[in-house]
Amino acid sequence: ERGATTDTLQRLEEWLEFHFMVGVDHVFVYDNSGAHTNETSLAPVLDKYSPSKVTRVDWPSVPCNNNIPAHDNTGERSSQYAAENSCRTRYAPYTEWIASIDSDEYLVPMGKHESLKDVVRKAEERGTNILSFRSTRAKLREDCSEKHGRGRIKIKDLTFLEAYNCDSSPIPKPSWAERARKQLYRSEHVLYHFVHYSTVTLNTIISYKETIAKNQRWWSMASEGIPSQVTTDEENEAMMLHTKTTDSDDTAGWKKRCSFDFDKKWRGCLVGFPHPNNELVEGAHREDGMEYNCFPVERLTNHWIPELKKILSKKK
């Protein structure tokens, strides 16, 4: 199947170690791996961890078709929606903050923060219940990949964070990146969450009588607002890097598609060429014609990736 990958287990272990490193206490993994990859179970990785750190939930749900029939993945998200609802209902009462993210999404403490716990503690102090992380797709760096068929794939021995540390948008990300946001939220405040949105919260279920008693406007309680829900300060607080796997099919013909003079820009270039000094210059390109198109996250380059590699090397 086009787009199927076999990097699930390697990716999962790195993702777990990263998030434990940045302060996550426990991960609930809904294992639906057989529906999308050649792997039949995530147990070989998850069984290495103490039950106090990881809970594996076997999730053999068969996705229904909720996409166009000709799409590569016609219904993969129907199972995701059900899994998120199951996790929030079953486990949120035992947590203070919770998030539902994929194993290619990294929540990265930024600025002087050394832990996500620092981030949520400061959020609580200012009355914030929901932290939104904008999402843009990172590119597979040319200097961290190798030729494979007509395209490129990640060099095997590199971490995913290294290979994909080149976001398609500079920090701070544009407002349109809110559409695919993920959220870290206070469990007792958010009563129902749907992938990208806190749909039912303690604020939105307040009655008309209660609203008037608090001298607030009724219509203003129909949705969350500042300071209860905020988008993270990506330079000084936290950001999300979306390292969706790019395979050789995705990058076929990359030299043509990544050239500065390619006239079909809508087809996109998924191979990353970092802007020098992380400065955007429209149309700038290398001497060989490859157009600069992405931005490394310096906090990852200088701090988190070296720390992650130390942890992974000890496990080997």
Side-chain angles (χ1 to χ4, degrees), residues 65-102:
N65 190 336
N66 66 343
N67 211 326
I68 56 176
H71 197 275
D72 288 335
N73 297 297
T74 54
E76 83 283 3
R77 296 197 176 189
S78 58
S79 181
Q80 176 190 0
Y81 302 155
E84 182 184 15
N85 280 317
S86 168
C87 185
R88 204 217 65 79
T89 301
R90 296 166 69 177
Y91 301 117
Y94 305 100
T95 69
E96 294 183 35
W97 288 76
I98 192 170
S100 178
I101 62 175
D102 302 323

Side-chain angles (χ1 to χ4, degrees), residues 163-216:
Y164 289 90
N165 183 20
C166 216
D167 214 327
S168 55
S169 295
I171 292 174
K173 297 179 182 181
S175 59
W176 56 258
E178 289 274 359
R179 64 189 180 189
R181 65 189 173 190
K182 290 299 177 71
Q183 295 184 321
L184 176 60
Y185 58 89
R186 288 183 60 239
S187 307
E188 67 178 14
H189 183 79
V190 177
L191 307 180
Y192 184 86
H193 195 273
F194 184 74
V195 188
H196 307 297
Y197 309 100
S198 297
T199 51
V200 181
T201 71
L202 292 181
N203 283 340
T204 61
I205 64 170
I206 190 171
S207 69
Y208 177 78
K209 184 180 293 186
E210 291 170 316
T211 305
I212 299 303
K214 291 183 177 182
N215 197 32
Q216 295 176 325

Side-chain angles (χ1 to χ4, degrees), residues 81-297:
Y81 302 155
E84 182 184 15
N85 280 317
S86 168
C87 185
R88 204 217 65 79
T89 301
R90 296 166 69 177
Y91 301 117
Y94 305 100
T95 69
E96 294 183 35
W97 288 76
I98 192 170
S100 178
I101 62 175
D102 302 323
S103 59
D104 58 6
E105 296 171 327
Y106 292 77
L107 304 185
V108 184
M110 297 289 283
K112 297 182 179 180
H113 291 95
E114 291 292 334
S115 171
L116 289 173
K117 290 180 180 178
D118 295 336
V119 174
V120 298
R121 177 178 55 81
K122 291 180 180 179
E124 287 181 336
E125 290 174 354
R126 63 174 183 260
T128 295
N129 300 300
I130 305 162
L131 289 168
S132 292
F133 293 76
R134 288 175 173 170
S135 178
T136 52
R137 184 174 180 175
K139 296 179 183 289
L140 175 64
R141 294 175 60 136
E142 185 211 26
D143 57 355
C144 294
S145 60
E146 58 189 4
K147 293 181 180 179
H148 185 270
R150 296 179 56 238
R152 302 186 71 83
I153 59 173
K154 181 183 80 70
I155 295 175
K156 184 177 180 180
D157 293 335
L158 296 182
T159 64
F160 288 90
L161 273 180
E162 285 178 283
Y164 289 90
N165 183 20
C166 216
D167 214 327
S168 55
S169 295
I171 292 174
K173 297 179 182 181
S175 59
W176 56 258
E178 289 274 359
R179 64 189 180 189
R181 65 189 173 190
K182 290 299 177 71
Q183 295 184 321
L184 176 60
Y185 58 89
R186 288 183 60 239
S187 307
E188 67 178 14
H189 183 79
V190 177
L191 307 180
Y192 184 86
H193 195 273
F194 184 74
V195 188
H196 307 297
Y197 309 100
S198 297
T199 51
V200 181
T201 71
L202 292 181
N203 283 340
T204 61
I205 64 170
I206 190 171
S207 69
Y208 177 78
K209 184 180 293 186
E210 291 170 316
T211 305
I212 299 303
K214 291 183 177 182
N215 197 32
Q216 295 176 325
R217 290 175 293 184
W218 169 245
W219 64 266
S220 68
M221 305 306 295
S223 62
E224 289 285 339
I226 297 173
S228 183
Q229 176 174 305
V230 299
T231 299
T232 59
D233 177 345
E234 293 169 321
E235 294 179 288
N236 302 302
E237 189 174 35
M239 57 85 66
M240 184 170 76
L241 188 73
H242 186 189
T243 66
K244 184 175 181 178
T245 294
T246 299
D247 61 23
S248 55
D249 287 330
D250 296 321
T251 55
W254 63 277
K255 283 191 175 182
K256 181 177 181 180
R257 293 164 64 180
C258 298
S259 177
F260 78 98
D261 58 357
F262 185 51
D263 60 357
K264 296 181 180 179
K265 297 292 186 182
W266 55 270
R267 292 185 59 187
C269 167
L270 295 180
V271 177
F273 300 90
H275 282 276
N277 302 316
N278 256 1
E279 295 179 2
L280 174 62
V281 179
E282 294 291 348
H285 56 84
R286 302 191 315 195
E287 290 184 0
D288 62 359
M290 298 296 100
E291 187 172 7
Y292 300 124
N293 60 7
C294 61
F295 305 83
V297 180

